[in-house]
Amino acid sequence: MMETIRAWVGRSFRNRIFVAMLAATLLPLLVCGGLMLNLQVTRSQESLAQESHAQLAALGAALDDFRETCRDIAGSLADSTVVRSALRRGGEDSRTLYQVLFRTAEPLRPYARFDIYDRQGVCRYTTASAPPSGELDPGWGILWDAGQEEGLALRAGEDGGLVAAQAVRSRGGDILGYVTAQVEQEGFDRMFNGLYSAAGEVLLLDGRWRTVYCSQPSQGRSTVECLREQLLAGSPLTGVTGEYAFFAAQRPDTGYVLILQRPRPFTALVLRSFYLVGAMVGVVCLLLCMWCAWVLSRALSRPVHQLDEAMGEVERGRLDVRLETDRADELGRLSSRFNRMAAEYRLNLDRSVQRERELNRARLGMLQAQLNPHFLYNTLDAMKWLGVAHQAPEVAALATDLADILRFSISGEELVTLERELELLDRYLDIQLIRFEDRFTCEIDAADRLQSCLVPKLALQPLVENAIIHGVADRDDGYIKVQAVQEGDDLVLRVSDNGCGMTPEVLERLNSGDKRIPGGHLGLYNTDSIIRLRFGAAYGLTARSVPGEGSCVSLRLPIQREEAGDAEGADR
């Protein structure tokens, strides 16, 4: 599928414009819409979480205040001499004890009921209008917890609510009775009133997830069971319907858990409605963008299509094709320039035909002029034999060496072996030694394994000529060394001398490849240009010099070997 789409897009310029404009208009719209929706949902959830945690903190503070106040009240009653005295007397009614009980429990009477039990678990005194029915077993439940602890003991009630108890002990530590406080549904309603939003619900669970308080008792049991299963499974707390968010906070001192249930800002139904509306808007935008992109792509691609057809006609040889356009924009100017290009191309073609005719005539003249070097070579051969006949060996040697160099220079080979290049260099040195009356010596150092390497014809001659003319010509003890070495995959030819050296200006221009080389070093530049054109910019000529001590010119070439067949053909 993707390959088909790529092929369709790449088939024409119009398709690419259509896809590009569609993507440029539709994608930002869809991406921005999706990001804005997700951002709104995320911000709403974060705001809900921050508000819920603040409400949980307020609920926890109220619960802690109640517990601390309850501990103070129970401790005060347990330490009261009036309470102890009444319990010792067997629980007889005492008006003074009721006064102490009501006065001490006054801060929590709107929320909790305070009772005083004897050590058999019979309620003797209470702040309620009527005493609770039944007795409590001192060997079990909240009275057992109070008897085992020194301070206040807390326990969830059997039918919900919260029960706190503290033992009343004698001076010797014997249990005389118990002070209890019990908070029912109405007490928690008053305690938590105004501390959380009206749309929220509060759950208070003990350490074993038994319900202590639920603001909606009818839904408390099912909600707690579902939350317990989700907690054990490691799943997010979403409740039964998934339309509520739950936030939990555990009290560190008691292990009790406060859970705040809040309606989600966006329920699943609302989110589905949002996505449905977004999808419908996206479809409408897609259709509008496709129509606009199609119209604009046609308007932009029509001149390009006409230009493409016209260029095809030019490729098939119709140079008189022209484009008709009345546009003044870039595409109109492009069509006008195509017309001028076609006309210029036709004119250039006519000129090329004329130049080809002239070139053919020049080539004919060059073929005729090739007789001149052969005539010069034959003349030098005659001079050599005249030198031998008239006892002039220097003239014969000069004529022989010059004839060999001339014959080598007019041969059709462009690359020769280093061995052959050094042989011709010997011929050239013989001529220069006769000319300068042996005032210099030349040493050639080339390993046998490099003799078969291919080098451009007459590459060393300009380097040696430069060393002679500009280096040792004015010395009586001139010394020139020609050296061939291998550096990696490169062949480096060095020509060094002990002459007067080069000026910094000449040295800089030699190393930079500047055509404006002063002082007659044009041969070096020509050699460098030939090497760079043939092998690349990484190769060519470099020079270094110390004024008054000499110069060294290096020529770097890639190592190329002569094949056996080429060598046999050259010998033949």
Side-chain angles (χ1 to χ4, degrees):
M1 183 65 180
M2 292 302 297
E3 295 296 331
T4 304
I5 295 176
R6 290 195 187 96
W8 182 80
V9 172
R11 188 174 298 128
S12 69
F13 178 66
R14 177 179 177 179
N15 295 343
R16 286 195 292 272
I17 293 179
F18 172 73
V19 172
M21 297 186 65
L22 185 63
T25 54
L26 185 60
L27 286 181
L29 180 63
L30 296 180
V31 171
C32 291
L35 287 178
M36 291 180 62
L37 179 59
N38 291 332
L39 183 61
Q40 182 64 30
V41 172
T42 302
R43 286 185 174 179
S44 300
Q45 292 175 349
E46 291 177 352
S47 177
L48 177 65
Q50 293 176 359
E51 183 181 349
S52 299
H53 287 304
Q55 295 177 6
L56 276 176
L59 292 170
L63 190 62
D64 290 341
D65 290 342
F66 169 81
R67 179 169 170 268
E68 292 298 326
T69 307
C70 186
R71 178 185 291 112
D72 295 340
I73 294 174
S76 179
L77 292 174
D79 294 337
S80 174
T81 305
V82 175
V83 174
R84 290 175 180 172
S85 176
L87 290 175
R88 285 194 189 98
R89 292 197 303 269
E92 296 179 358
D93 190 11
S94 173
R95 183 172 182 172
T96 304
L97 189 146
Y98 269 108
Q99 292 178 351
V100 172
L101 176 61
F102 275 84
R103 185 175 63 251
T104 306
E106 181 63 27
L108 295 184
R109 282 183 59 195
Y111 314 114
R113 186 188 76 231
F114 285 86
D115 302 319
I116 297 178
Y117 288 80
D118 60 16
R119 60 185 175 184
Q120 284 78 29
V122 179
C123 181
R124 298 297 183 179
Y125 309 97
T126 181
T127 58
S129 58
S133 61
E135 300 178 356
L136 297 180
D137 186 0
W140 183 84
I142 187 63
L143 298 186
W144 167 260
D145 294 341
Q148 300 300 314
E149 297 183 10
E150 291 296 331
L152 188 68
L154 294 176
R155 177 184 283 264
E158 295 297 329
D159 298 325
L162 181 66
V163 181
Q166 183 169 343
V168 180
R169 301 178 186 272
S170 65
R171 299 293 182 183
D174 297 330
I175 297 178
L176 300 177
Y178 304 91
V179 177
T180 66
Q182 185 167 358
V183 187
E184 302 293 343
Q185 180 78 21
E186 295 80 5
F188 278 112
D189 289 341
R190 295 189 190 97
M191 187 188 308
F192 293 152
N193 184 31
L195 299 181
Y196 62 97
S197 59
E201 304 295 340
V202 176
L203 285 170
L204 178 61
L205 309 176
D206 66 1
R208 292 182 291 177
W209 276 60
R210 292 181 301 179
T211 303
V212 176
Y213 167 74
C214 179
S215 58
Q216 290 290 337
S218 61
Q219 302 176 4
R221 182 179 297 275
S222 60
T223 302
V224 171
E225 291 178 355
C226 180
L227 293 178
R228 182 185 294 110
E229 292 177 358
Q230 293 174 350
L231 182 65
L232 294 176
S235 304
L237 300 180
T238 57
V240 179
T241 62
E243 296 182 357
Y244 295 93
F246 292 86
F247 303 91
Q250 187 174 28
R251 310 313 300 168
D253 48 357
T254 61
Y256 281 29
V257 180
L258 270 171
I259 297 178
L260 181 61
Q261 172 186 306
R262 298 285 304 278
R264 293 184 181 275
F266 298 101
T267 62
L269 180 60
V270 173
L271 285 178
R272 282 196 296 269
S273 301
F274 280 171
Y275 290 134
L276 179 60
V277 172
M280 295 176 62
V281 172
V283 170
V284 173
C285 293
L286 174 63
L287 296 177
L288 290 176
C289 292
M290 289 181 65
W291 180 78
C292 294
W294 184 258
V295 172
L296 291 176
S297 64
R298 287 189 61 187
L300 291 174
S301 63
R302 185 179 302 160
V304 177
H305 180 67
Q306 294 175 352
L307 181 62
D308 178 66
E309 290 183 346
M311 293 184 71
E313 293 295 329
V314 171
E315 289 179 350
R316 287 188 287 271
R318 290 189 53 192
L319 300 181
D320 56 346
V321 63
R322 297 293 183 270
L323 292 175
E324 299 295 334
T325 180
D326 55 354
R327 301 174 65 120
D329 55 6
E330 289 83 355
L331 293 175
R333 291 194 293 272
L334 185 62
S335 300
S336 300
R337 289 172 182 173
F338 170 79
N339 293 335
R340 291 195 296 272
M341 182 195 69
E344 185 68 22
Y345 181 71
R346 185 181 184 90
L347 181 60
N348 289 336
L349 182 60
D350 295 338
R351 293 172 180 172
S352 297
V353 172
Q354 182 63 29
R355 283 197 297 268
E356 186 66 23
R357 293 173 181 171
E358 295 175 356
L359 182 60
N360 289 334
R361 288 194 294 268
R363 287 173 179 172
L364 180 60
M366 289 178 62
L367 291 175
Q368 295 172 351
Q370 284 183 356
L371 296 176
N372 293 334
H374 289 285
F375 170 75
L376 180 59
Y377 171 74
N378 293 332
T379 303
L380 290 173
D381 189 62
M383 289 174 59
K384 178 188 73 173
W385 290 111
L386 286 175
V388 173
H390 291 83
Q391 302 297 322
E394 290 83 359
V395 176
L398 285 172
T400 301
D401 293 337
L402 185 58
D404 289 341
I405 295 174
L406 180 62
R407 179 170 55 188
F408 181 68
S409 64
I410 65 175
S411 64
E413 300 171 319
E414 295 184 4
L415 296 176
V416 297
T417 63
L418 180 61
E419 180 182 11
R420 178 61 175 156
E421 179 72 8
L422 293 177
E423 290 178 359
L424 266 295
L425 183 62
D426 284 335
R427 301 286 189 180
Y428 175 75
L429 287 171
D430 290 341
I431 296 174
Q432 294 292 3
L433 286 172
I434 293 175
R435 174 187 174 188
F436 289 95
E437 298 178 353
D438 295 330
R439 293 201 306 271
F440 69 90
T441 58
C442 183
E443 177 186 358
I444 297 178
D445 181 12
D448 293 340
R449 58 187 175 85
L450 302 177
Q451 296 289 333
S452 60
C453 294
L454 295 177
V455 298
K457 181 173 62 177
L458 295 177
L460 284 173
Q461 185 267 334
L463 277 65
V464 175
E465 181 181 8
N466 179 79
I468 296 173
I469 302 302
H470 300 284
V472 301
D474 297 330
R475 298 177 62 98
D476 294 332
D477 56 347
Y479 174 74
I480 298 174
K481 183 175 182 179
V482 179
Q483 186 180 16
V485 296
Q486 180 178 354
E487 294 183 359
D489 295 332
D490 296 339
L491 174 66
V492 179
L493 304 177
R494 295 192 182 97
V495 177
S496 57
D497 62 77
N498 62 344
C500 59
M502 302 180 187
T503 63
E505 180 185 8
V506 173
L507 190 65
E508 180 181 359
R509 292 186 178 179
L510 278 176
N511 289 323
S512 63
D514 195 344
K515 294 182 179 181
R516 300 170 302 166
I517 298 179
H521 297 277
L522 187 60
L524 296 181
Y525 172 76
N526 291 335
T527 302
D528 181 61
S529 299
I530 292 172
I531 298 301
R532 292 181 185 273
L533 289 173
R534 175 177 289 275
F535 301 113
Y539 302 96
L541 184 145
T542 58
R544 52 188 175 86
S545 176
V546 177
E549 297 183 8
S551 305
C552 179
V553 180
S554 300
L555 193 63
R556 182 176 295 273
L557 308 165
I559 291 182
Q560 296 179 346
R561 303 282 182 178
E562 183 184 32
E563 297 181 359
D566 296 339
E568 292 175 1
D571 294 339
R572 287 196 295 267

